[in-house]
Amino acid sequence: MLICPHSGIGNQIGNYVFGQFLIYINAVEYKETPDKNNTNNIGLRFLFLEDETIDRTFVLNKFNTNLIQASKEDVERFLKAETDFRLYFSLINNIKYSKKEYFNSFYKVLTRIRTKYHFYPFKTPALMAKTVSYRDILKIVSNKNLKPAKQKKLIGNVAVCDCYSPIKEFYNQDFREKMKEHFTLKEELDEKNSEVLEKIRACKNSVGVHIRRGDYIGLKIPVVRKEFILEKMRILNEKFNDKKDAAQFFIFSDGIDWAKENLIESGISNLHFININDENHGYLDFSLLNTCCHRIYSASSFSSWAQYLNPYKNSIEFYPEKKDLVIE
């Protein structure tokens, strides 16, 4: 099986975690463990470019992740593998009900195969049927009428790249705790990020505020209303009203000028605008945000994964609902 992490950090994390989830449930159900070469028993490999130039910088390798990159032989085997007839039904459903989403996934897989491995396969129905949704995979692994060997064969010859946000299956507590271990940084922070980290750790009530704007504005994707952010900040100010242990707000945003303009004038104090990492180093912002005790989130995969991977058990967290969003 090929998993294709792509786009921003949230989407990369989503596809990676889905791959790890398949390894996890296989190990639990069939009492199998990774072998001594640190591979896995379902043949799962990751399809990515270290120097990502197609859409966003690849950052999963900055964390303590278990990335087994697909070899040329793995990709060749995937392309030559027989297409099970069941996959054609999935293809028809994917095209019929989510045409844009499906073709986006197929394009991501095909582009990486062409760019990294220099295979140029024809877009035949047989090949297209092997790019499936994560929902299709969940149906296969939950089908008790399929023998384990058949399940493995079915999922062994497909590619997936459309799991972006946490799904209910990921909330198994044991699995979730394991994933938190995967998303600790490998590298030491540089001086500027270390200074921010020390500031966050010095606060009893640090609050990470994630404000997602950037390309959402041009794409007309809903963003969080200013009123939602300010309301939640005031709630935390009232809760932590002891001057010594007052809430300290650490704001992370790809629209930092907007954040300054709209938050400074609100009269809320203890604001720290973090603007030291460019888009290629957003994983550092992710790690810093995840160090904050409490959180105010945006409606984005970045925020949803920060919430899922939150290492604190007693955090106060605010995630926006549909009524808290606006298209600007």
Side-chain angles (χ1 to χ4, degrees):
M1 168 188 259
L2 301 178
I3 298 281
C4 180
H6 63 88
S7 300
I9 184 173
N11 292 357
Q12 291 182 36
I13 292 174
N15 285 293
Y16 173 81
V17 172
F18 182 68
Q20 297 304 312
F21 177 70
L22 295 178
I23 294 171
Y24 176 80
I25 61 173
N26 184 74
V28 169
E29 187 161 354
Y30 302 115
K31 296 182 173 58
E32 294 181 351
T33 55
D35 66 25
K36 64 181 180 180
N37 295 317
N38 201 30
T39 61
N40 56 74
N41 297 318
I42 59 173
L44 189 147
R45 300 291 184 268
F46 289 94
L47 189 66
F48 62 89
L49 309 176
E50 294 91 340
D51 181 21
E52 186 70 86
T53 56
I54 296 172
D55 41 27
R56 303 282 184 86
T57 302
F58 186 76
V59 298
L60 289 180
N61 53 358
K62 303 297 184 181
F63 299 98
N64 285 300
T65 46
N66 182 19
L67 285 164
I68 307 171
Q69 188 169 26
S71 67
K72 194 164 186 176
E73 291 72 24
D74 292 326
V75 174
E76 188 173 27
R77 195 158 39 245
F78 164 76
L79 294 173
K80 289 182 176 179
E82 180 183 353
T83 304
D84 190 283
F85 74 91
R86 297 173 183 83
L87 297 179
Y88 289 105
F89 293 108
S90 297
L91 173 64
I92 293 169
N93 286 331
N94 282 327
I95 291 176
K96 184 176 180 180
Y97 296 110
S98 57
K99 188 172 183 179
K100 184 178 179 180
E101 182 180 334
Y102 167 75
F103 279 107
N104 182 57
S105 294
F106 182 66
Y107 168 78
K108 299 291 185 186
V109 171
L110 197 59
T111 302
R112 281 157 181 77
I113 288 175
R114 288 172 169 172
T115 303
K116 181 172 180 62
Y117 303 95
H118 306 296
F119 290 118
Y120 300 92
F122 292 109
K123 301 176 193 176
T124 63
L127 175 61
M128 295 174 70
K130 286 191 282 192
T131 297
V132 299
S133 168
Y134 74 89
R135 298 179 186 88
D136 299 322
I137 297 298
L138 292 178
K139 287 178 184 176
I140 292 170
V141 299
S142 63
N143 187 344
K144 300 303 180 184
N145 294 321
L146 285 175
K147 293 181 179 180
K150 187 63 178 177
Q151 283 188 353
K152 280 188 179 182
K153 184 178 179 182
L154 262 173
I155 68 174
N157 296 327
V158 298
V160 182
C161 68
D162 68 339
C163 189
Y164 304 142
S165 298
I167 57 177
K168 62 182 177 62
E169 287 83 357
F170 295 167
Y171 284 88
N172 172 292
Q173 193 57 38
D174 179 57
F175 175 72
R176 189 177 183 182
E177 291 303 315
K178 289 181 186 299
M179 287 303 97
K180 291 177 184 179
E181 296 173 8
H182 285 227
F183 286 94
T184 54
L185 284 177
K186 282 182 181 177
E187 63 185 48
E188 290 187 6
L189 295 176
D190 60 25
E191 185 177 352
K192 288 184 178 180
N193 282 282
S194 293
E195 288 175 2
V196 174
L197 179 62
E198 290 308 309
K199 281 184 181 179
I200 293 172
R201 286 178 171 170
C203 305
K204 183 176 180 180
N205 292 302
S206 57
V207 181
V209 183
H210 178 229
I211 303 174
R212 177 69 163 94
R213 293 180 64 80
D215 58 345
Y216 275 25
I217 304 302
L219 294 171
K220 299 300 179 182
I221 297 174
V223 294
V224 173
R225 294 178 184 273
K226 174 179 72 173
E227 292 76 15
F228 169 83
I229 301 167
L230 294 176
E231 176 193 357
K232 305 312 178 189
M233 291 173 78
R234 291 184 177 117
I235 289 172
L236 292 172
N237 261 340
E238 290 176 13
K239 182 171 182 61
F240 305 119
N241 56 14
D242 185 294
K243 190 172 183 180
K244 182 180 177 182
D245 295 326
Q248 301 284 335
F249 299 97
F250 294 85
I251 294 97
F252 301 86
S253 178
D254 55 359
I256 204 72
D257 291 337
W258 181 94
K260 289 178 179 178
E261 181 181 341
N262 288 274
L263 300 186
I264 291 174
E265 66 180 20
S266 68
I268 296 175
S269 56
N270 301 329
L271 302 177
H272 309 272
F273 295 94
I274 311 305
N275 189 28
I276 55 178
N277 298 306
D278 60 18
E279 185 179 9
N280 292 339
H281 295 84
Y283 65 93
L284 296 173
D285 280 349
F286 185 87
S287 183
L288 291 171
L289 173 64
N290 240 21
T291 309
C292 296
C293 298
H294 311 292
R295 321 286 181 82
I296 300 172
Y297 297 112
S298 280
S300 73
S301 57
F302 185 105
S303 273
S304 62
W305 285 110
Q307 182 184 44
Y308 178 81
L309 296 167
N310 184 355
Y312 301 103
K313 296 187 181 301
N314 298 312
S315 284
I316 298 173
E317 300 178 291
F318 297 103
Y319 202 91
E321 300 176 7
K322 190 173 182 179
K323 65 182 176 59
D324 303 313
L325 306 177
V326 62
I327 296 176
E328 294 187 359

